[in-house]
Structures are given as C-alpha cells and as structure tokens.
Amino acid sequence: MGISVWVRRYRDFGVENPVLSSGSRLSEDLSLAAEEWERLRQEVAACTACPLHRTRTHAVFGVGNQRADWMLIGEAPGEQEDLKGEPFVGPAGQLLNEMLKALRLQREEVYITNILKSRPPGNRDPKPEEVLACEPYLKRQIALVAPKVILAIGRIAAQSLLKTEAPLSRLRGKVHRYAATPVVVVYHPAYLLRSPAAKRQAWEDLKLAFRVYSQVSQGNPWTN
Ligand code: URA
C-alpha cells in the first residue's frame, strides 16, 4: 500500500495521521506502519482509560495479518482470551476458525480484534463508556489494516461499530459501511455453539461476505 493510500485511510477514519511526509518509498511506508503498530500496541497494553484495566490479566490487542483483506471484529475478550492476551482462543475461537475455513481462509491470513481490549468481569456486556474509551484504538487498527471487508461478529460488535441499536435480525443479511469499508454482520460463534440450528443462516452470512469481498477485490465498489 503506497503512502498516499495510507494517508487517505487515516483521513477517512477521522484519526490523526501519524505520517506527515509524502512521496516516501514503500520500505519507508512499511517501517512507518510497523512503528505505528508498535506504538499502538504499547498504548493499548498501558491503557487505563476505563476501569477494566484494573481487572484484566492482559490487554487483548489483536492478531493476524496487519495488511489483511478481511478484518474480524468481536465484542470483548473472554476468560481465556484475557489469560492468553489473544482474541478468540476459546471454544468460540475454534468455531470462528472453522467459519474462516469455510471461506477458504486461515486464521493467520485475516486480522482479528475486538471492540473492547479488556475483559469485562464475568463476561458481562460492554458498557457504552467502555466502548467509547476503546474506540480510538479500533479506529487506528482499521485504518492501518485497511481491509477490503469487515466482519462484525455478533450483535454487540455490530451495534458498537455501526452505532446503532437495531437488533441483530435487522443487521444481518445487509451490507453496511464503516467509513468506506463494507461491513457484514455475522452470528457470534458463541451463539452458534448454543444454537447449532442457526449455522445454516450463518453460512448465508458468510456467503454474503464472500460476495462482497470478491466484488471489492476486483476493484468494483460494493453498491447495495
Ligand atoms: N468473544 C469475543 O467477542 N471476542 C473474543 O475474543 C472471544 C470471545
């Protein structure tokens, strides 16, 4: 990705652009991106913007390909994620890996993160003020990855990302936008573990996401 694309991405997402120069070579772009990733990771690890930092074991930053076409955004770390410092490593994560395989994707090819970087005690729903406190980190991650498609995993992730209170039933099956990036809302794998009958609909969500990805990656913007 050239510097101009990177600069534009930051502007699109309404975050301050850390790269002030232009006309730099690709290797410089990459090392600037690497520096920004590292700065961001350290900021998240040290973050005390909401009270969740007091109860977390690890801040859970994100994993995967930092220049992925697919970005997956879940709700918040659970117990195992908090212990390991990595998103989606528990049973829901294993099902998420299977969902990725259905899209012919390996976990390492995509970028995975959450709306919240710290675990809410007892896995309660995130509070609006926690979502707001974490939002700048997510914005910067999305701008850096610059994915072709975002999968919002589950109701809370979808509502937080899209700033809506619409129920999941109204959010699934449509293509939304985060800035210019198409967003497809999918069932949370934890829900699918409890309700396996919904897997058929989950497959429809994934097929929609794949159609969007195919179109966008051929250079044709998605239009609803
Ligand atoms: N559920 C989420 O939404 N995120 C995780 O990282 C794990 C479970």
Side-chain angles (χ1 to χ4, degrees):
M1 182 169 33
I3 191 82
S4 56
V5 176
W6 209 53
V7 169
R8 181 170 53 73
R9 281 288 175 171
Y10 261 81
R11 223 179 277 135
D12 285 351
F13 291 106
V15 277
E16 201 172 318
N17 171 22
V19 185
L20 297 177
S21 64
S22 60
S24 60
R25 294 196 312 268
L26 182 62
S27 59
E28 288 168 21
D29 294 358
L30 292 177
S31 81
L32 283 168
E35 278 171 29
E36 172 60 2
W37 273 113
E38 189 46 34
R39 192 162 34 234
L40 191 50
R41 180 182 295 282
Q42 286 178 15
E43 283 176 39
V44 168
C47 182
T48 56
C50 82
L52 295 180
H53 75 276
R54 297 203 196 99
T55 46
R56 72 180 175 222
T57 312
H58 292 107
V60 178
F61 181 69
V63 279
N65 178 357
Q66 293 176 340
R67 293 159 61 86
D69 285 347
W70 294 76
M71 184 158 182
L72 279 59
I73 303 177
E75 173 182 331
E79 184 180 17
Q80 300 195 37
E81 290 76 21
D82 173 70
L83 290 173
K84 197 162 176 211
E86 185 175 330
F88 284 101
V89 289
Q94 305 208 338
L95 182 54
L96 185 69
N97 294 348
E98 295 304 314
M99 291 162 75
L100 286 171
K101 277 193 199 140
L103 290 167
R104 297 175 196 246
L105 290 166
Q106 296 297 318
R107 185 176 165 97
E108 302 71 38
E109 285 175 74
V110 304
Y111 192 83
I112 308 176
T113 190
N114 282 307
I115 297 283
L116 290 195
K117 310 305 187 211
S118 302
R119 180 189 182 207
N123 296 348
R124 63 155 169 75
D125 286 355
K127 294 182 181 171
E129 59 271 25
E130 295 162 353
V131 172
L132 268 184
C134 250
E135 191 177 10
Y137 300 129
L138 181 64
K139 274 191 176 182
R140 283 161 70 190
Q141 285 176 305
I142 297 173
L144 280 164
V145 176
K148 290 196 164 68
V149 60
I150 293 174
L151 291 190
I153 304 174
R155 176 180 64 84
I156 304 258
Q159 290 177 336
S160 307
L161 195 66
L162 301 171
K163 302 223 181 289
T164 174
E165 292 183 359
L168 191 70
S169 55
R170 282 202 17 233
L171 297 172
R172 288 185 46 252
K174 295 188 186 127
V175 181
H176 308 267
R177 299 220 167 251
Y178 183 87
T181 309
V183 177
V184 175
V185 177
V186 301
Y187 277 125
H188 198 290
Y191 171 76
L192 294 174
L193 287 172
R194 295 192 302 271
S195 313
K199 282 187 182 170
R200 186 186 295 267
Q201 286 167 282
W203 176 232
E204 295 303 320
D205 297 340
L206 296 181
K207 284 197 294 190
L208 173 61
F210 195 77
R211 280 202 301 280
V212 173
Y213 168 72
S214 303
Q215 180 157 332
V216 173
S217 58
Q218 283 166 31
N220 305 316
W222 181 268
T223 45
N224 277 315

